[in-house]
Amino acid sequence: QAHFDQTISRQSQFLPASIMSFFTQITNALSLCSAEGDVVRKVRTNADPPMAPEDALELLKEGNSRFVAGRPLGSKTQNVQRHQLVDEGQAPHTAIIGCADSRAPLETIFDTMPGDIFVLRNAGNTCTHAEGSILGSLEFCTGALNTRLIFVLGHTACGALKGATAAYLSQEKRANHALDVLLNELGSVVSEAKSQCGRKATADEIASKAVKLNVFHTMNFMLKHCDAIREKVRSGHLEIQGGVYDLSTGKVEFLGK
């Protein structure tokens, strides 16, 4: 590759523009292949048509399988791909709401390329305000960017749900800090988890149950408080799915709608 580039550079002053354009295309094509011959995936841009929700979900599943197997492709990007995203614009196939936990990086978990997913993260992967930035960002993504799948991802051993469980069980309602407000607003999820687990359940058991319930709580919150998203789901243009990421195994449990 380097020798080829140097040869073209030396001869460029003697070649017609049409031939140089041909050589430029070859150079760009070669840049998409690594020295070891590994596959480098094409990036999604605004030049691509909107992707059907079921196809987007399948890409998430395939990406997680590669991540678990230790054979990622998403980290193999080249300059030509970054330039495509700048020149042609973004068209993410999925918008993902995930937890801000540093152990659960969404692009890594699903082995995605730049431009594949529209990422929204906060503590507890939750929506708590109808006018908040999460819903506003989702309206933009499913509207202007025409993304047709929203995926909500919780994870095991979630600190936000553990904290919310502890606050709920202690019956302590503090609101001195923003974190207190967040934990209090997750109280309804913890209450439902406690009810499902039974009176003898431990705090860890309740928090674990709350992780999955919170995924569906976030999904339902979107449908309840966002007219634009609700209408797109009703018409079949948009799907909302959920899952739970296991910190120990790396696997995502896909929960469905």
Side-chain angles (χ1 to χ4, degrees), residues 20-40:
M20 276 307 302
S21 176
F22 171 73
F23 280 126
T24 298
Q25 293 178 42
I26 294 178
T27 302
N28 288 340
L30 288 173
S31 72
L32 290 176
C33 299
S34 67
E36 296 80 13
D38 293 330
V39 176
V40 179

Side-chain angles (χ1 to χ4, degrees), residues 41 44 49-64 66 91-96 110-112 115-118 146-151 237-241 254:
R41 289 168 49 209
R44 276 189 59 79
M51 184 176 291
E54 59 270 22
D55 294 334
L57 186 65
E58 187 61 29
L59 287 182
L60 296 182
K61 292 179 178 180
E62 292 173 358
N64 181 241
R66 289 193 302 272
H93 60 68
T94 306
I96 306 183
F110 293 111
D111 186 32
T112 59
D116 278 349
I117 59 176
F118 190 88
N146 209 13
T147 298
R148 298 187 56 195
L149 176 65
I150 297 175
F151 194 81
H237 182 77
L238 176 69
E239 283 189 12
I240 304 176
Q241 302 248 3
F254 291 85

Side-chain angles (χ1 to χ4, degrees), residues 10 16 41 44-45 50 96 108 121 132 201 203 223 233 241 255:
R10 288 195 301 268
R41 289 168 49 209
R44 276 189 59 79
T45 71
I96 306 183
T108 302
R121 297 174 69 182
L223 291 172
V233 170
Q241 302 248 3
L255 303 176

Side-chain angles (χ1 to χ4, degrees), residues 49 114 117 133 211:
I117 59 176
S133 62
V211 166

Side-chain angles (χ1 to χ4, degrees), residues 11-24:
Q11 296 180 358
S12 62
Q13 56 183 318
F14 305 111
L15 296 174
S18 60
I19 297 179
M20 276 307 302
S21 176
F22 171 73
F23 280 126
T24 298

Side-chain angles (χ1 to χ4, degrees), residues 88-144:
E88 299 175 13
Q90 62 173 323
H93 60 68
T94 306
I96 306 183
I97 302 177
C99 184
D101 194 303
S102 62
R103 300 167 294 178
L106 301 179
E107 292 90 344
T108 302
I109 291 169
F110 293 111
D111 186 32
T112 59
M113 298 284 285
D116 278 349
I117 59 176
F118 190 88
V119 173
L120 301 164
R121 297 174 69 182
N122 61 19
N125 45 272
T126 186
C127 297
T128 56
H129 296 286
E131 70 281 5
S133 62
I134 294 289
L135 287 185
S137 297
L138 287 173
E139 286 185 5
F140 168 73
C141 186
T142 58

